[in-house]
Amino acid sequence: MTVARQVRLRARPVGLPDAGTWDVVDTELPALGDGEVLVRVTHLSLDPAMRGWLNDVRSYVPPVGVGEVMRAFGVGTVLASRSPEHAVGDAVSGITGVADHAVLRGSDLSPVDLDVASAPTWLGALSMPGLTAWFGLFDVARAQPGETVLVSGAAGAVGSVVGQLAKAHGCRVIGVAGGPEKTRWLTEELGFDAAIDYREGAVHRAVRAIAPEGVDVYFDNVGGEVLDSALRTLRRGARIALCGAISTYNATEPAPGPAHYMSLLVNRASMTGFVVFDYEDRYPEAIADLSARLRDGSLVARETVVRGGVDAFGDTLLMLFDGGNTGKLVLEL
Ligand code: NAP
């Protein structure tokens, strides 16, 4: 019998999650049924979306229920198998939940080739964040060579891939991120043309100084004031890919709408929300492209890996909301 250490939702948070949000429990896992595998989870993906999954509201997935194991993507090793799809010793990824061991349906897991990339990269550039960047930039924003692309959350998991893909596609790329270390990383190591520290002043003024003619694409990861500022920099025919709005995820009151939304009308621009899960049928195409770029070095994957057991989950999650991560935030168990 395997005992799993799990993090469960104790109470829905108001504002930032805290110690009262979570219960850490040890549970005996059931014996394997037909088609199931026992997985030792080695790495967990920490995602801004997790904050949304805690709210009891209608969304693109149902909320995590009070008392349930917190939803999370993870990578792990198969310890026992009654599934034809995965053998003992295989590395797999999927929705494992925040737990060090889990009994899961083999058909819900994907094989992971650790010769292609490390487990953290299989949760970042080769998983939801990389896919979100790929489909958001090429399908939603329809970025074209020669265009100017502005991306916020640029030093994070999604944003850092967006900027690199756009650059390789022949775009001029401006990143928006918090702090000098992140902006330096973007320009000096990832090849962004420019990077703006949004904590240093109004983003639209900085964008205008860099690109007086305005931006063709704004890839929005943060919403709030940065979105409002970005709206003031649009060129005629600009496209905004609404990927996320992390600046509002812990708000206790509804966030005010963007004041400058009429810029969409004036500039015949559009703003399109998207959810990466809608592209599931096309994941293999994007993963093949992202892996090739990683292999030839044209895409750099960076992860902030925190080492700790599942007990460290609650504190580590908070790093996303104060900019403690560069690239993908991963908890190694
Ligand atoms: P991430 O960017 O790796 O991490 C979050 C980053 O957000 C932090 O490092 C921080 O960087 C920044 N941030 C936090 N609070 C902020 C604030 N108040 N204002 C401005 N920036 C703030 O996270 P990610 O996984 O790549 O996700 C990025 C966005 O994509 C999120 O909004 C997420 O919900 C969204 N997303 C959407 C989809 C989809 O299907 N639509 C899929 C995946 C992710 P700084 O140091 O720069 O502030």
Side-chain angles (χ1 to χ4, degrees):
M1 193 65 79
T2 305
V3 173
R5 196 159 175 83
Q6 303 172 326
V7 173
R8 298 186 184 183
L9 177 61
R10 183 197 302 169
R12 299 196 182 283
V14 177
L16 276 174
D18 60 19
T21 307
W22 311 111
D23 277 323
V24 182
V25 293
D26 291 321
T27 312
E28 278 191 8
L29 294 176
L32 289 190
D34 251 358
E36 290 184 330
V37 294
L38 171 66
V39 175
R40 156 79 173 106
V41 183
T42 56
H43 297 81
L44 287 174
S45 172
L46 279 78
D47 293 288
M50 287 173 154
R51 180 63 189 85
W53 300 339
L54 301 178
N55 297 333
D56 192 9
V57 294
R58 182 182 157 270
S59 188
Y60 59 92
V61 286
V64 176
V66 172
E68 286 179 8
V69 177
M70 179 59 194
R71 183 184 296 139
F73 289 91
V75 165
T77 310
V78 174
L79 294 185
S81 178
R82 289 191 59 192
S83 157
E85 280 140 306
H86 308 286
V88 171
D90 283 358
V92 290
S93 71
I95 300 181
T96 60
V98 181
D100 58 4
H101 292 81
V103 170
L104 302 163
R105 293 211 61 77
S107 53
D108 291 340
L109 297 169
S110 305
V112 157
D113 186 344
L114 295 175
D115 291 332
V116 170
S118 67
T121 302
W122 276 109
L123 292 174
L126 293 181
S127 181
M128 185 173 74
L131 294 164
T132 302
W134 204 90
F135 290 110
L137 184 70
F138 295 132
D139 227 79
V140 181
R142 305 180 312 283
Q144 305 298 322
E147 290 190 326
T148 300
V149 173
L150 178 69
V151 53
S152 57
V158 175
S160 61
V161 178
V162 169
Q164 293 181 79
L165 292 177
K167 194 67 201 149
H169 196 54
C171 302
R172 177 152 66 134
V173 178
I174 307 171
V176 179
E181 262 179 54
K182 290 188 178 182
T183 53
R184 191 203 58 74
W185 179 59
L186 295 176
T187 53
E188 291 181 16
E189 295 186 42
L190 296 192
F192 283 46
D193 296 285
I196 297 166
D197 180 353
Y198 67 91
R199 298 179 191 158
E200 289 291 308
V203 167
H204 61 275
R205 285 202 198 94
V207 173
R208 280 190 197 135
I210 298 160
E213 69 291 355
V215 307
D216 302 286
V217 167
Y218 172 49
F219 195 108
D220 188 20
N221 283 316
V222 307
E225 279 179 31
V226 176
L227 164 63
D228 212 7
S229 228
L231 279 165
R232 301 173 76 171
T233 71
L234 300 184
R235 261 181 118 164
R236 189 167 170 144
R239 287 87 61 204
I240 299 180
L242 169 46
C243 176
I246 192 169
S247 71
T248 67
Y249 290 176
N250 293 292
T252 50
E253 298 291 332
H260 296 96
Y261 80 102
M262 281 297 282
S263 172
L264 295 172
L265 180 151
V266 172
N267 293 297
R268 288 75 159 173
S270 62
M271 181 163 176
T272 308
F274 71 102
V275 174
V276 69
F277 302 141
D278 294 342
Y279 290 90
E280 198 174 345
D281 290 353
R282 292 177 56 201
Y283 284 176
E285 175 194 349
I287 289 185
D289 182 62
L290 290 162
S291 324
R293 291 171 193 260
L294 283 175
R295 237 187 344 264
D296 71 18
S298 59
L299 176 66
V300 173
R302 177 162 169 181
E303 298 90 21
T304 297
V305 179
V306 175
R307 289 174 183 85
V310 294
D311 299 61
F313 168 75
D315 286 343
T316 309
L317 181 65
L318 297 182
M319 289 172 66
L320 291 171
F321 303 109
D322 67 9
N325 63 305
T326 300
K328 174 72 207 156
L329 182 61
V330 172
L331 179 61
E332 183 177 317
L333 303 181

